[in-house]
Amino acid sequence: MESYILPDRLCLKNARLIDPALNLDQVGDLLLERGIITSVGSVSASGNTLSWNLNGAIICPGFFDLHVHLREPGNEVAETIRSGQESAAAGGFTAVAAMPNTTPPLDQAGVVRWVIEQASFFPVSVYPVAAITRGRKGEELTEMVELRQSGAIAFSDDGSWVLSAEVMRRALEYSLLVDAPIISHAEEPTLSKGGQMHEGEMSTRLGLPGLPRISEDVATLRDLMLAEYTGGRLHLAHVSTSGALAALEAAQARGVKVSGEATPHHLVLTDGAVVGYDTSTKMKPPLREAEDASSLWKAIKSGVIAAIATDHAPHTSEDKEVPYDEASFGALGLETAVALLWDHGVGKGLLDPFEMVRRFCHGPRAIVGLPIPALKEGAPVELTVFHPDEEWQVDKTRFYSKSVNSPFVGWKLTGRPWGILKGQRWAGRVEPKF
Ligand SMILES: [Zn+2]
């Protein structure tokens, strides 16, 4: 995918402009001049202004995915920083946070700076999340202050829970010093050992060992208690159980500094999707049951869960085209997330458009303290464009990701991202027309 340099003056015509922070939802035009929004609403284009008719596409402040695995360095066959950025642009994300479980892991300032440098050639911003512990081994804290200064926006040993409560306690204490959250992958490993899918009726029927809810609930409760005790900043990745949600909501009500995210696959799918043993349905935490998904929708609507994050986890066919119990955990997310939330969330009345934009844009940025883009005069251009009525079918031969492990292949969806505007550039799956 190439990115396009925009003309010095570009008028985006006939768009639906949505910005919940400004209480804006209207059909109109947007004038962009050299990377700055200079007019919102009705624009009378003068002689040297080029126009692009968006035919009713939605323009909103740029979406940010707080949880993405880019696989570089170390597993460039599955994804590279560039292919992940292209996948993000195609999915309508102007920025992503890159998780540290690469080879080597993001546990040293040099690697963090290298990722930022590699990402600087394409309009999607990549914000590294550094490891909490050296080598993600759970033993010794990384140099968190130095990592933060080199550009890390948060800390996580994602993929593993920090087993030692003492190490997690100190990480949370440091979170105050470095002013960045500690992201927990809440999975108590002795309870989840050997598990392949959610433990319940379906796992019994399919004959697969279970990953029980209690593994996530126990780990979540410990981390909430440590956050409360230290006053540190905790963020819960991919919350998937009703129990973890209830604990999160209660902790927030007590004033604990804790936030949470949910993935589109945990919202839209249940463990019933595992029936055909499609390894794209294998991930951690596993697809749960209908009651968990319905609690998640409520938490997204109320804001207890402030961010939708994809946990985009590319894997090669070598790691996925194997028997279910041998396959790696994880599923693609970047190119289907916006359409799934629009179609299955807004389309079914579970969310309104403002709530959806907040969970994709404002919520995740607030968690890590990034500036929030806006649709107002004088604001820098950082915008997501998607068409709310476009019907399409998810086709694995057309992913921009280097991998194809999506549980949504073959799904028909209404609403489709076109791409992103960032500074004076456009990147996306649609070619700009002006
Ligand atoms: Zn995780």
Side-chain angles (χ1 to χ4, degrees):
M1 181 192 290
E2 295 303 316
S3 69
Y4 295 81
I5 297 175
L6 302 174
D8 283 351
R9 281 169 65 87
L10 176 65
C11 181
L12 303 170
K13 308 282 286 181
N14 299 318
R16 181 173 165 193
L17 309 171
I18 298 184
D19 187 341
L22 303 170
N23 202 28
L24 173 75
D25 184 353
Q26 68 170 71
V27 173
D29 313 327
L30 209 58
L31 184 62
L32 314 180
E33 296 185 71
R34 297 186 191 87
I36 303 291
I37 297 172
T38 52
S39 187
V40 181
S42 169
V43 176
S44 48
S46 60
N48 58 348
T49 307
L50 295 178
S51 290
W52 178 9
N53 189 337
L54 292 191
N55 294 315
I58 289 172
I59 302 181
C60 51
F63 291 171
F64 170 45
D65 189 343
L66 192 51
H67 195 141
V68 167
H69 297 275
L70 293 178
R71 304 304 188 207
E72 186 180 1
N75 189 8
E76 291 82 358
V77 187
E79 199 78 288
T80 60
I81 291 168
R82 176 60 184 256
S83 68
Q85 287 176 298
E86 292 180 8
S87 189
F93 293 95
T94 58
V96 300
M99 284 292 163
N101 57 338
T102 48
T103 316
L106 308 185
D107 65 354
Q108 293 197 31
V111 196
V112 167
R113 281 195 296 264
W114 182 83
V115 167
I116 294 169
E117 165 70 18
Q118 287 298 111
S120 64
F121 307 100
F122 194 77
V124 173
S125 304
V126 174
Y127 296 100
V129 174
I132 298 171
T133 64
R134 285 176 203 270
R136 298 176 50 256
K137 291 194 177 112
E139 291 158 9
E140 252 182 289
L141 289 184
T142 52
E143 299 291 341
M144 288 172 64
V145 174
E146 192 193 355
L147 286 162
R148 180 74 168 118
Q149 283 163 352
S150 68
I153 54 162
F155 294 85
S156 182
D157 276 1
D158 186 45
S160 311
W161 190 49
V162 177
L163 190 59
S164 159
E166 196 270 335
V167 171
M168 190 62 170
R169 171 193 172 173
R170 284 197 291 121
L172 285 161
E173 284 167 355
Y174 266 98
S175 74
L176 296 167
L177 182 69
V178 298
D179 191 27
I182 305 296
I183 303 178
S184 172
H185 168 113
E187 176 192 355
E188 202 291 323
T190 63
L191 288 164
S192 65
K193 196 170 179 222
Q196 302 294 322
M197 66 174 291
H198 170 68
E199 181 181 283
E201 252 174 64
M202 192 57 74
S203 64
T204 310
R205 197 177 127 196
L206 298 178
L208 290 170
L211 292 156
R213 287 193 185 93
I214 191 69
S215 164
E216 180 170 341
D217 295 355
V218 160
T220 300
L221 280 165
R222 185 207 72 178
D223 287 346
L224 288 170
M225 289 182 76
L226 289 171
E228 186 161 18
Y229 182 72
T230 58
R233 282 174 60 195
L234 177 67
H235 175 70
L236 300 173
H238 42 56
V239 178
S240 77
T241 68
S242 311
L245 278 173
L248 167 64
E249 186 169 10
Q252 286 174 342
R254 292 197 302 277
V256 181
K257 294 192 207 90
V258 58
S259 52
E261 71 189 31
T263 74
H265 51 262
H266 288 115
L267 288 161
V268 171
L269 296 172
T270 65
D271 59 350
V274 185
V275 156
Y277 299 95
D278 171 3
T279 57
S280 299
T281 64
K282 179 173 174 178
M283 69 279 290
K284 279 185 175 177
L287 300 172
R288 303 284 186 189
E289 297 180 38
E291 61 162 282
D292 301 287
S294 112
S295 306
L296 278 178
W297 279 114
K298 281 183 204 134
I300 288 272
K301 182 158 184 78
S302 71
V304 167
I305 294 281
I308 294 158
T310 66
D311 195 4
H312 179 81
H315 285 292
T316 60
S317 49
E318 241 171 34
D319 288 335
K320 279 295 197 181
E321 286 174 18
V322 292
Y324 204 86
D325 60 354
E326 291 168 25
S328 300
F329 290 93
L332 298 186
L334 284 168
E335 293 174 58
T336 49
V338 170
L340 286 166
L341 267 290
W342 183 258
D343 193 345
H344 290 256
V346 175
K348 292 185 175 165
L350 296 165
L351 286 184
D352 66 35
F354 278 2
E355 288 158 352
M356 173 174 148
V357 172
R358 281 189 185 282
R359 304 301 172 254
F360 271 126
C361 169
H362 304 72
R365 284 192 179 82
I367 289 163
V368 289
L370 289 175
I372 293 169
L375 257 70
K376 64 180 181 197
E377 283 174 28
V381 172
E382 181 162 3
L383 304 164
T384 289
V385 180
F386 69 98
H387 204 291
D389 304 322
E390 193 169 323
E391 292 176 5
W392 62 295
Q393 186 166 19
V394 181
D395 177 350
K396 72 173 178 182
T397 66
R398 304 189 69 172
F399 283 134
Y400 288 88
S401 170
K402 294 184 91 172
S403 296
V404 298
N405 54 303
S406 163
F408 302 106
V409 169
W411 280 40
K412 289 185 176 143
L413 295 168
T414 300
R416 192 174 193 189
W418 281 11
I420 59 156
L421 294 146
K422 179 90 166 293
Q424 206 174 340
R425 285 185 174 265
W426 164 266
R429 35 166 298 279
V430 166
E431 276 186 36
K433 294 189 189 78
F434 41 76

